[in-house]
């Protein structure tokens, strides 16, 4: 497992943007398939986006066009760029990682990831 630490959450107004970061301690993020999940109030945790170890990414269909995932290997950090946020995006956002290479159809499966951060709260409100 790899220790993960999310940051960048906070309060943002509807229509605003936010970038979340996930730092991997002592490990190179380039060696992991990494993902973002979120848990909205009263709902199950759901897939947001994932980035394969070698090329390829996936974003939840409902979030395409507003959310994007990227990685800075030099900074050993995974990012989630979110724009045009609305109240439905209010959630705790979690970073996850697995050392296994996953096929695209498996990226959204929570059980595929063995390392999880503690989450960062994003609140979209006036």
């Amino acid at each position: 497992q790899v220790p993960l630490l999310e940051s960048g959450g906070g309060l943002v107004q509807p229509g605003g943007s936010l970038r979340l970061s996930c730092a991997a301690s002592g490990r190179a993020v380039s060696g992991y398939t990494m993902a973002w999940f979120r848990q909205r109030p009263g709902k199950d945790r759901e897939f947001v986006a994932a980035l394969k170890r070698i090329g390829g990414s996936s974003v939840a269909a409902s979030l395409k066009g507003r959310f994007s995932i990227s990685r800075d290997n030099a900074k050993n950090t995974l990012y989630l760029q979110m724009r045009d946020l609305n109240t439905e995006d209010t959630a705790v956002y979690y970073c996850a990682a697995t050392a296994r290479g996953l096929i695209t159809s498996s990226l959204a499966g929570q059980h595929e990831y063995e390392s999880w951060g503690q989450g960062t709260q994003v609140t979209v409100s006036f």
Side-chain angles (χ1 to χ4, degrees), residues 4 6 20-22 33-40 43-51 58-60 63 67-69 78-80 82 88-98 100 102-122:
L4 300 172
E6 303 96 335
L20 305 182
S21 300
C22 173
T33 298
M34 300 190 73
W36 289 97
F37 290 80
R38 71 180 184 183
Q39 187 164 19
R40 294 185 282 176
K43 298 190 177 182
D44 294 334
R45 191 161 56 185
E46 61 184 355
F47 172 74
V48 174
L51 191 61
S58 178
V59 178
L63 301 176
F67 286 28
S68 62
I69 187 171
L78 178 77
Y79 299 103
L80 180 69
M82 307 182 291
E88 291 294 307
D89 296 317
T90 294
V92 179
Y93 285 74
Y94 296 92
C95 177
T98 178
R100 298 179 295 119
L102 299 179
I103 59 176
T104 300
S105 61
S106 297
L107 291 172
Q110 297 184 46
H111 62 281
E112 301 285 0
Y113 301 88
E114 63 267 13
S115 299
W116 291 83
Q118 294 192 338
T120 185
Q121 175 72 46
V122 173

Coordinates of all heavy atoms in Angstrom, one line a residue, residues 4 6 20-22 33-40 43-51 58-60 63 67-69 78-80 82 88-98 100 102-122:
L4 N -1.5 8.0 0.9 CA -2.0 9.0 0.1 C -2.6 10.2 0.9 O -3.3 9.9 1.9 CB -3.1 8.4 -0.8 CG -2.7 7.3 -1.7 CD1 -4.0 6.7 -2.4 CD2 -1.7 7.7 -2.8
E6 N -4.8 13.7 0.4 CA -5.5 14.6 -0.5 C -5.4 16.0 0.1 O -5.4 16.2 1.4 CB -7.0 14.2 -0.6 CG -7.2 12.9 -1.2 CD -7.5 11.8 -0.1 OE1 -7.0 12.1 1.1 OE2 -8.1 10.8 -0.3
L20 N -8.0 19.6 -6.8 CA -7.6 18.7 -5.7 C -6.3 18.1 -6.1 O -6.0 17.8 -7.2 CB -8.7 17.6 -5.5 CG -10.1 18.1 -5.2 CD1 -11.0 16.9 -5.0 CD2 -10.2 19.1 -4.1
S21 N -5.5 17.9 -5.0 CA -4.2 17.2 -5.2 C -4.2 16.0 -4.3 O -4.8 15.9 -3.3 CB -3.1 18.2 -4.7 OG -3.1 19.3 -5.5
C22 N -3.4 15.0 -4.8 CA -3.2 13.8 -4.0 C -1.7 13.5 -4.1 O -1.2 13.2 -5.1 CB -4.0 12.6 -4.6 SG -3.7 11.0 -3.8
T33 N -1.7 2.9 -10.9 CA -3.0 3.3 -11.4 C -3.7 4.1 -10.3 O -3.9 3.6 -9.2 CB -3.9 2.1 -11.8 OG1 -3.2 1.4 -12.9 CG2 -5.2 2.6 -12.3
M34 N -4.1 5.3 -10.6 CA -4.7 6.2 -9.6 C -6.0 6.7 -10.0 O -6.3 6.9 -11.1 CB -3.7 7.3 -9.2 CG -2.4 6.8 -8.8 SD -1.3 8.1 -8.1 CE -2.1 8.4 -6.5
A35 N -6.8 7.0 -8.9 CA -8.2 7.4 -9.2 C -8.7 8.4 -8.2 O -8.2 8.5 -7.1 CB -9.1 6.2 -9.3
W36 N -9.8 9.0 -8.5 CA -10.6 9.8 -7.6 C -12.0 9.2 -7.5 O -12.6 8.8 -8.5 CB -10.7 11.2 -8.1 CG -9.4 12.0 -8.0 CD1 -8.5 12.2 -9.0 CD2 -8.9 12.7 -6.9 NE1 -7.5 13.0 -8.6 CE2 -7.7 13.3 -7.3 CE3 -9.3 12.9 -5.6 CZ2 -6.9 14.1 -6.4 CZ3 -8.6 13.6 -4.7 CH2 -7.4 14.2 -5.1
F37 N -12.5 9.1 -6.3 CA -13.8 8.8 -6.0 C -14.4 9.9 -5.1 O -13.7 10.6 -4.5 CB -13.9 7.4 -5.2 CG -13.5 6.2 -6.1 CD1 -12.2 5.9 -6.3 CD2 -14.5 5.4 -6.7 CE1 -11.8 4.8 -7.1 CE2 -14.1 4.3 -7.4 CZ -12.8 4.0 -7.7
R38 N -15.7 9.9 -5.0 CA -16.4 10.8 -4.1 C -17.6 10.2 -3.4 O -18.2 9.3 -4.0 CB -16.8 12.1 -4.9 CG -17.9 11.9 -5.8 CD -18.2 13.2 -6.5 NE -19.4 13.1 -7.4 CZ -19.9 14.1 -8.2 NH1 -19.2 15.3 -8.2 NH2 -20.9 13.9 -8.9
Q39 N -17.9 10.7 -2.3 CA -19.1 10.3 -1.6 C -19.9 11.5 -1.2 O -19.5 12.4 -0.4 CB -18.7 9.5 -0.3 CG -19.9 8.9 0.4 CD -19.6 7.8 1.4 OE1 -18.5 7.8 1.8 NE2 -20.6 7.0 1.7
R40 N -21.0 11.6 -1.9 CA -21.9 12.7 -1.7 C -22.8 12.4 -0.4 O -23.0 11.3 -0.1 CB -22.8 13.0 -2.9 CG -21.9 13.5 -4.1 CD -22.8 13.8 -5.3 NE -23.3 12.6 -6.0 CZ -24.1 12.7 -7.0 NH1 -24.6 13.8 -7.4 NH2 -24.4 11.6 -7.6
K43 N -25.2 9.3 0.1 CA -25.0 8.4 -1.1 C -23.8 7.6 -1.0 O -22.9 7.8 -0.2 CB -25.0 9.2 -2.4 CG -26.3 10.0 -2.6 CD -26.3 10.7 -4.0 CE -27.6 11.4 -4.2 NZ -27.7 12.0 -5.6
D44 N -23.8 6.5 -1.8 CA -22.6 5.6 -1.8 C -21.4 6.3 -2.5 O -21.6 7.3 -3.3 CB -22.9 4.3 -2.5 CG -23.9 3.5 -1.8 OD1 -24.1 3.6 -0.6 OD2 -24.6 2.7 -2.5
R45 N -20.3 5.9 -2.2 CA -19.1 6.4 -2.8 C -19.1 6.0 -4.3 O -19.5 4.9 -4.6 CB -17.8 5.8 -2.2 CG -16.5 6.5 -2.6 CD -15.4 6.3 -1.6 NE -15.1 4.9 -1.4 CZ -14.2 4.5 -0.5 NH1 -13.6 5.4 0.3 NH2 -14.0 3.2 -0.3
E46 N -18.7 6.9 -5.1 CA -18.8 6.7 -6.6 C -17.5 7.1 -7.3 O -16.8 8.0 -6.8 CB -20.0 7.5 -7.2 CG -19.9 9.0 -7.0 CD -21.1 9.8 -7.4 OE1 -22.0 9.2 -8.0 OE2 -21.1 11.0 -7.2
F47 N -17.4 6.5 -8.4 CA -16.2 6.8 -9.3 C -16.3 8.2 -9.9 O -17.3 8.6 -10.3 CB -16.1 5.7 -10.4 CG -15.1 6.0 -11.4 CD1 -13.7 5.8 -11.1 CD2 -15.4 6.4 -12.7 CE1 -12.7 6.0 -12.0 CE2 -14.4 6.6 -13.6 CZ -13.1 6.4 -13.3
V48 N -15.1 8.9 -9.9 CA -15.0 10.2 -10.5 C -14.1 10.1 -11.8 O -14.5 10.4 -12.9 CB -14.5 11.2 -9.5 CG1 -14.2 12.5 -10.2 CG2 -15.4 11.4 -8.4
A49 N -12.9 9.7 -11.6 CA -11.9 9.6 -12.7 C -10.7 8.8 -12.3 O -10.5 8.5 -11.1 CB -11.4 11.0 -13.0
A50 N -10.0 8.3 -13.3 CA -8.9 7.4 -13.1 C -7.8 7.6 -14.1 O -8.2 8.0 -15.3 CB -9.3 5.9 -13.0
L51 N -6.6 7.4 -13.8 CA -5.5 7.5 -14.7 C -4.6 6.3 -14.6 O -4.2 5.8 -13.6 CB -4.6 8.7 -14.3 CG -3.6 9.2 -15.2 CD1 -4.2 9.7 -16.5 CD2 -2.8 10.4 -14.6
S58 N -9.9 7.8 -17.6 CA -11.3 7.6 -17.7 C -12.0 8.6 -16.7 O -11.5 8.8 -15.6 CB -11.7 6.2 -17.3 OG -13.1 6.0 -17.3
V59 N -13.0 9.2 -17.1 CA -13.8 10.1 -16.3 C -15.3 9.7 -16.4 O -15.8 9.3 -17.4 CB -13.7 11.6 -16.8 CG1 -14.6 12.5 -16.0 CG2 -12.3 12.1 -16.8
A60 N -15.9 9.7 -15.2 CA -17.3 9.3 -15.2 C -18.1 10.1 -16.2 O -17.9 11.3 -16.4 CB -17.9 9.6 -13.8
L63 N -19.6 13.4 -15.6 CA -18.7 14.5 -15.2 C -17.7 15.0 -16.3 O -17.0 15.9 -16.2 CB -17.8 14.1 -14.0 CG -18.6 13.6 -12.8 CD1 -17.6 13.1 -11.7 CD2 -19.4 14.8 -12.2
F67 N -14.7 17.8 -15.3 CA -13.7 17.2 -14.5 C -12.6 16.6 -15.3 O -12.9 16.0 -16.4 CB -14.2 16.1 -13.5 CG -15.1 16.6 -12.4 CD1 -15.8 17.8 -12.5 CD2 -15.1 15.9 -11.2 CE1 -16.6 18.2 -11.4 CE2 -15.9 16.3 -10.2 CZ -16.6 17.5 -10.2
S68 N -11.4 16.8 -14.9 CA -10.3 16.1 -15.6 C -9.2 15.7 -14.6 O -9.1 16.3 -13.5 CB -9.7 17.1 -16.6 OG -9.1 18.2 -16.0
I69 N -8.5 14.6 -15.0 CA -7.5 14.0 -14.1 C -6.1 14.1 -14.8 O -6.0 14.0 -16.0 CB -7.9 12.6 -13.7 CG1 -6.9 12.0 -12.7 CG2 -7.9 11.7 -15.0 CD1 -7.4 10.6 -12.2
L78 N -1.1 13.6 -8.0 CA -2.2 13.4 -8.8 C -3.2 14.5 -8.6 O -3.3 15.0 -7.5 CB -2.9 12.1 -8.5 CG -4.2 11.7 -9.2 CD1 -3.9 11.2 -10.6 CD2 -5.1 10.7 -8.5
Y79 N -3.8 15.0 -9.7 CA -4.7 16.1 -9.6 C -6.1 15.8 -10.1 O -6.3 14.9 -11.0 CB -4.2 17.3 -10.4 CG -2.8 17.8 -10.0 CD1 -1.7 17.5 -10.7 CD2 -2.7 18.6 -8.8 CE1 -0.4 17.9 -10.3 CE2 -1.5 19.1 -8.4 CZ -0.3 18.7 -9.1 OH 0.9 19.2 -8.7
L80 N -7.1 16.5 -9.6 CA -8.4 16.5 -10.1 C -8.8 17.9 -10.3 O -9.0 18.7 -9.4 CB -9.4 15.8 -9.2 CG -10.8 15.7 -9.7 CD1 -10.9 14.8 -11.0 CD2 -11.8 15.2 -8.6
M82 N -11.6 20.5 -11.3 CA -13.0 20.5 -11.4 C -13.4 21.9 -11.8 O -12.9 22.9 -11.2 CB -13.6 20.1 -10.0 CG -13.1 18.8 -9.5 SD -13.9 18.4 -7.9 CE -13.1 19.6 -6.8
E88 N -24.5 19.7 -6.5 CA -24.4 18.2 -6.5 C -23.0 17.7 -6.5 O -22.8 16.5 -6.3 CB -25.1 17.7 -7.8 CG -26.6 17.9 -7.8 CD -27.3 17.1 -6.8 OE1 -27.1 15.9 -6.7 OE2 -28.0 17.7 -5.9
D89 N -22.0 18.5 -6.6 CA -20.6 18.1 -6.5 C -20.1 18.1 -5.1 O -19.0 17.7 -4.8 CB -19.7 19.0 -7.4 CG -20.1 18.9 -8.9 OD1 -20.3 17.7 -9.3 OD2 -20.1 19.9 -9.6
T90 N -20.9 18.6 -4.2 CA -20.6 18.6 -2.8 C -20.4 17.2 -2.3 O -21.2 16.3 -2.4 CB -21.6 19.3 -1.9 OG1 -21.7 20.7 -2.2 CG2 -21.3 19.1 -0.4
A91 N -19.2 16.9 -1.8 CA -18.8 15.5 -1.4 C -17.5 15.5 -0.7 O -16.7 16.5 -0.8 CB -18.8 14.6 -2.7
V92 N -17.2 14.4 -0.2 CA -15.8 14.1 0.2 C -15.1 13.4 -0.9 O -15.7 12.4 -1.4 CB -15.8 13.2 1.5 CG1 -14.3 12.9 1.9 CG2 -16.5 13.9 2.7
Y93 N -14.0 13.9 -1.3 CA -13.3 13.3 -2.5 C -12.1 12.5 -2.0 O -11.3 13.0 -1.2 CB -12.8 14.4 -3.4 CG -14.0 15.0 -4.2 CD1 -14.9 15.9 -3.6 CD2 -14.1 14.7 -5.5 CE1 -16.0 16.4 -4.3 CE2 -15.2 15.2 -6.3 CZ -16.1 16.0 -5.7 OH -17.2 16.5 -6.4
Y94 N -12.0 11.3 -2.5 CA -11.0 10.4 -2.1 C -10.0 10.0 -3.2 O -10.5 9.8 -4.4 CB -11.6 9.1 -1.6 CG -12.4 9.2 -0.4 CD1 -13.8 9.4 -0.5 CD2 -11.9 9.1 0.9 CE1 -14.6 9.5 0.6 CE2 -12.7 9.2 2.0 CZ -14.1 9.4 1.9 OH -14.8 9.5 3.0
C95 N -8.8 9.9 -2.9 CA -7.8 9.5 -3.8 C -7.5 8.0 -3.6 O -7.5 7.6 -2.4 CB -6.5 10.3 -3.6 SG -5.1 9.8 -4.6
A96 N -7.3 7.2 -4.6 CA -7.1 5.8 -4.5 C -6.0 5.4 -5.4 O -5.8 6.0 -6.5 CB -8.3 5.0 -4.7
A97 N -5.3 4.3 -5.1 CA -4.2 3.8 -5.9 C -4.1 2.3 -5.9 O -4.4 1.7 -4.9 CB -2.9 4.5 -5.5
T98 N -3.6 1.8 -7.0 CA -3.3 0.4 -7.0 C -2.0 0.2 -7.8 O -1.8 0.9 -8.8 CB -4.4 -0.5 -7.6 OG1 -4.0 -1.9 -7.7 CG2 -4.8 0.0 -9.0
R100 N -1.4 -2.4 -9.5 CA -1.8 -3.2 -10.7 C -2.2 -2.4 -11.8 O -2.8 -1.3 -11.7 CB -2.9 -4.2 -10.3 CG -2.5 -5.1 -9.2 CD -3.7 -6.1 -8.8 NE -4.8 -5.3 -8.3 CZ -6.0 -5.3 -8.8 NH1 -6.2 -6.0 -9.9 NH2 -7.0 -4.7 -8.2
L102 N -4.7 -1.8 -14.7 CA -6.1 -2.1 -14.8 C -6.6 -1.8 -16.3 O -6.1 -0.9 -16.9 CB -7.0 -1.3 -13.9 CG -6.8 -1.5 -12.4 CD1 -7.7 -0.5 -11.6 CD2 -7.0 -2.9 -12.0
I103 N -7.5 -2.7 -16.7 CA -8.1 -2.4 -18.0 C -9.1 -1.3 -17.8 O -9.6 -1.1 -16.7 CB -8.7 -3.6 -18.6 CG1 -9.8 -4.2 -17.7 CG2 -7.6 -4.6 -19.0 CD1 -10.5 -5.4 -18.3
T104 N -9.5 -0.6 -18.9 CA -10.3 0.6 -18.7 C -11.7 0.2 -18.0 O -12.1 1.0 -17.2 CB -10.6 1.1 -20.1 OG1 -9.4 1.5 -20.7 CG2 -11.5 2.4 -20.0
S105 N -12.2 -0.9 -18.3 CA -13.5 -1.3 -17.8 C -13.4 -1.5 -16.3 O -14.5 -1.6 -15.6 CB -14.1 -2.5 -18.5 OG -13.2 -3.6 -18.3
S106 N -12.2 -1.7 -15.7 CA -12.1 -2.0 -14.3 C -11.7 -0.7 -13.5 O -11.7 -0.8 -12.3 CB -11.0 -3.0 -14.1 OG -11.3 -4.2 -14.6
L107 N -11.5 0.4 -14.2 CA -11.0 1.6 -13.5 C -12.0 2.1 -12.4 O -11.6 2.7 -11.5 CB -10.6 2.7 -14.5 CG -9.4 2.4 -15.3 CD1 -9.3 3.5 -16.4 CD2 -8.1 2.4 -14.5
A108 N -13.2 1.9 -12.7 CA -14.3 2.5 -11.8 C -14.6 1.6 -10.6 O -15.4 2.0 -9.7 CB -15.5 2.7 -12.6
G109 N -14.0 0.4 -10.5 CA -14.3 -0.5 -9.4 C -13.5 -0.2 -8.2 O -12.3 -0.3 -8.1
Q110 N -14.2 0.2 -7.1 CA -13.5 0.6 -5.9 C -12.7 -0.6 -5.3 O -11.6 -0.3 -4.7 CB -14.6 1.0 -4.8 CG -15.4 2.2 -5.2 CD -16.3 2.6 -4.1 OE1 -16.0 2.7 -3.0 NE2 -17.6 2.9 -4.5
H111 N -13.1 -1.8 -5.5 CA -12.4 -2.9 -5.0 C -11.1 -3.2 -5.6 O -10.3 -3.9 -5.2 CB -13.3 -4.2 -5.1 CG -13.6 -4.5 -6.6 ND1 -14.5 -3.9 -7.3 CD2 -13.0 -5.5 -7.4 CE1 -14.6 -4.4 -8.5 NE2 -13.6 -5.3 -8.6
E112 N -10.8 -2.5 -6.8 CA -9.6 -2.7 -7.5 C -8.4 -1.9 -6.8 O -7.3 -2.2 -7.1 CB -9.7 -2.1 -8.9 CG -10.8 -2.8 -9.7 CD -10.4 -4.2 -10.2 OE1 -9.3 -4.7 -9.9 OE2 -11.2 -4.9 -10.9
Y113 N -8.7 -1.0 -5.9 CA -7.7 -0.1 -5.3 C -7.4 -0.5 -3.9 O -8.4 -0.7 -3.1 CB -8.2 1.3 -5.4 CG -8.4 1.8 -6.8 CD1 -9.7 1.6 -7.4 CD2 -7.4 2.4 -7.6 CE1 -9.9 2.0 -8.7 CE2 -7.6 2.8 -8.9 CZ -8.9 2.6 -9.4 OH -9.1 3.0 -10.7
E114 N -6.2 -0.7 -3.6 CA -5.8 -1.1 -2.2 C -5.4 0.0 -1.3 O -5.3 -0.2 -0.1 CB -4.7 -2.2 -2.2 CG -3.4 -1.8 -2.8 CD -3.3 -2.0 -4.3 OE1 -4.3 -2.4 -4.9 OE2 -2.1 -1.9 -4.8
S115 N -5.1 1.1 -1.9 CA -4.7 2.3 -1.1 C -5.6 3.4 -1.2 O -6.1 3.7 -2.3 CB -3.3 2.8 -1.5 OG -2.3 1.7 -1.4
W116 N -6.0 4.0 -0.1 CA -7.0 5.1 -0.1 C -6.5 6.2 0.8 O -5.9 6.0 1.9 CB -8.3 4.6 0.4 CG -9.0 3.7 -0.5 CD1 -8.8 2.3 -0.6 CD2 -10.0 4.0 -1.5 NE1 -9.6 1.8 -1.6 CE2 -10.3 2.8 -2.1 CE3 -10.6 5.2 -1.8 CZ2 -11.3 2.8 -3.1 CZ3 -11.6 5.2 -2.8 CH2 -11.9 4.0 -3.5
G117 N -6.8 7.5 0.4 CA -6.5 8.6 1.3 C -7.7 8.8 2.2 O -8.7 8.0 2.1
Q118 N -7.6 9.7 3.1 CA -8.7 10.0 4.1 C -9.7 10.9 3.6 O -10.8 11.1 4.2 CB -8.0 10.5 5.4 CG -7.2 9.5 6.1 CD -6.8 10.0 7.5 OE1 -6.8 11.1 7.8 NE2 -6.4 9.0 8.3
G119 N -9.5 11.5 2.4 CA -10.5 12.3 1.8 C -10.4 13.8 2.1 O -9.8 14.2 3.1
T120 N -10.9 14.6 1.2 CA -10.9 16.0 1.4 C -12.3 16.5 1.0 O -12.9 16.1 0.0 CB -9.9 16.7 0.5 OG1 -9.8 18.1 0.8 CG2 -10.1 16.5 -1.0
Q121 N -12.9 17.4 1.8 CA -14.2 17.9 1.7 C -14.3 19.0 0.7 O -13.5 20.0 0.7 CB -14.8 18.4 3.0 CG -16.2 19.0 3.0 CD -17.3 18.0 2.7 OE1 -17.3 16.9 3.4 NE2 -18.2 18.3 1.8
V122 N -15.2 18.8 -0.2 CA -15.6 19.9 -1.2 C -17.0 20.3 -1.0 O -17.9 19.4 -1.0 CB -15.3 19.5 -2.6 CG1 -15.8 20.5 -3.6 CG2 -13.9 19.2 -2.9

